[in-house]
Amino acid sequence: MMLAIAGLHHGGAERVIASLCNHLDKSRFSVTVCWRTARGAIGEELMAQGHEVIGLPELDPTVTPYRRFLVLKKLMEEKCIDVLHTHDTGALADGAQCRMLGSKTRLVHTFHFGNYPILKKRYVLMEMIFSRMANHLVAVGVEQAKQIRKALWLSSSKLDTVYNGVGLPAFDSSADPLRSYRNRPGQPVVIGSISTLIEQKGLTFLLETADILRRKNTNCVFLIVGGGPLQQELESKCKRLGLTDTVHFLGWVPNAANNMLPFLDIFCQSSLWEANSIVLLEAMAVGLPIVTTDVGESRHVIEEGRSGRIVRPRDPAGMADALVMLVAQKELRQKMGQSAKQDFVDKFTVDKMIVRYQGLYEDLL
């Protein structure tokens, strides 16, 4: 089978592809990963682990993006691919056009995007047309599935829901990389956020939240892990607000799920939209109390008041209130973290996701 996507940079869809590569039953599935624009860091990791990762531009650099599906069709024929599983709109379009040209490869597509009311019209039109050629379609959350059915006029029978899943963390508890922050006078509570620095993640509102907590003399520090196009803008805003001692930008941290998340006291996500956030599941897996915005699948993943707090997006005051409560109450943080970890084990492990996808592939064949 083949997993296809534009690029294999850091992101939720890319993490799902990596999980499929590493956890599908190798006695039943031989996996090739195919990229169209960039191999990326995750692609490099998969190659280092021994997985087959192929770039269409590497096979034929002269072919334009609009005719790249021809290269894909030839590659699938050479490798006798039974199932093509696509993970973005471009890959879906390529796979659908292959089927239009007579390819017998079965086509599965997973929707990872979580902002369908605001999705550009040309992408809606592409997905509306090309999703009709897929043998099976997958949403990663209940709320996303509702948006997709409405936006693309899909019947319920055409679209299934498979929750994202992640593995249990493997980390050295004695190697705390945040010791320097934790050992400051008064031992501040460490609040962390991990994401690409883009508009979707709402980090400008997280900075405003940090400013409210600073003015309330709340004993905490914020660590923002990740990089992206808004980094300079966010760092400038941080300086304007006088938050340089409160908010720290750490850039990309390799394998942050193991090397950063387990050492936080609170995980905070300020997103404006999501589908089913991978990093939210990773935070649950390490037993962190969570404060997140009410977007995407959050309300189905986090139980308000039990495993975390859910606040409105674009509401720094509401997020600040939730964080102040958790910073002040260590026992509450521990209780919420334990509940979050139990919910993760019950619903969101990588094994549960793999079982669903393997069953789906086998049904198609």
Side-chain angles (χ1 to χ4, degrees), residues 5 55 61 91 144 212 233 253 283 308 315 317 348:
I5 194 169
Q144 183 207 34
I212 294 172
E233 178 182 327
V253 174
D315 182 12
F348 304 114

Side-chain angles (χ1 to χ4, degrees), residues 151-278:
L152 305 185
W153 298 354
L154 291 172
S155 67
S156 298
S157 61
K158 183 80 172 181
L159 183 68
D160 198 4
T161 300
V162 177
Y163 275 122
N164 290 335
V166 298
L168 286 167
F171 62 96
D172 180 1
S173 59
S174 65
D176 184 353
L178 307 183
R179 190 176 293 109
S180 61
Y181 298 98
R182 205 182 310 282
N183 289 342
R184 293 184 175 194
Q187 292 187 320
V189 171
V190 180
I191 302 168
S193 177
I194 300 176
S195 70
T196 306
L197 307 188
I198 54 178
E199 178 191 2
Q200 173 192 350
K201 302 305 179 179
L203 292 166
T204 184
F205 300 102
L206 183 61
L207 292 182
E208 293 172 16
T209 298
D211 186 44
I212 294 172
L213 267 63
R214 178 185 61 82
R215 287 187 274 112
K216 289 184 175 182
N217 294 317
T218 307
N219 187 28
C220 65
V221 293
F222 286 77
L223 304 183
I224 296 178
V225 178
L230 295 184
Q231 182 159 350
Q232 186 174 353
E233 178 182 327
L234 291 167
E235 289 180 344
S236 296
K237 179 168 184 172
C238 183
K239 291 177 182 177
R240 288 198 305 273
L241 292 173
L243 292 171
T244 52
D245 289 333
T246 303
V247 178
H248 305 271
F249 292 85
L250 304 187
W252 287 115
V253 174
N255 195 6
N258 289 337
N259 297 329
M260 188 61 61
L261 272 176
F263 305 98
L264 299 173
D265 295 312
I266 301 170
F267 180 76
C268 186
Q269 187 173 72
S270 53
S271 295
L272 307 183
W273 69 85
E274 292 284 349
N276 186 356
S277 171
I278 291 288

Side-chain angles (χ1 to χ4, degrees), residues 38-53:
R39 184 181 294 116
I42 289 180
E44 297 289 352
E45 290 175 9
L46 290 174
M47 289 184 68
Q49 293 164 1
H51 298 289
E52 185 174 47
V53 180

Side-chain angles (χ1 to χ4, degrees), residues 70-98:
L70 297 172
V71 183
L72 175 63
K73 184 173 183 293
K74 182 180 179 181
L75 176 62
M76 291 195 299
E77 290 170 351
E78 290 175 351
K79 292 192 166 292
C80 301
I81 299 297
D82 297 307
V83 176
L84 173 67
H85 187 175
T86 58
H87 292 266
D88 70 346
T89 305
L92 169 63
D94 287 345
Q97 289 175 92
C98 289

Side-chain angles (χ1 to χ4, degrees), residues 139-150 159-161:
V140 296
V142 174
E143 298 303 320
Q144 183 207 34
K146 292 177 185 176
Q147 293 178 347
I148 292 169
R149 290 190 190 103
K150 183 177 180 180
L159 183 68
D160 198 4
T161 300

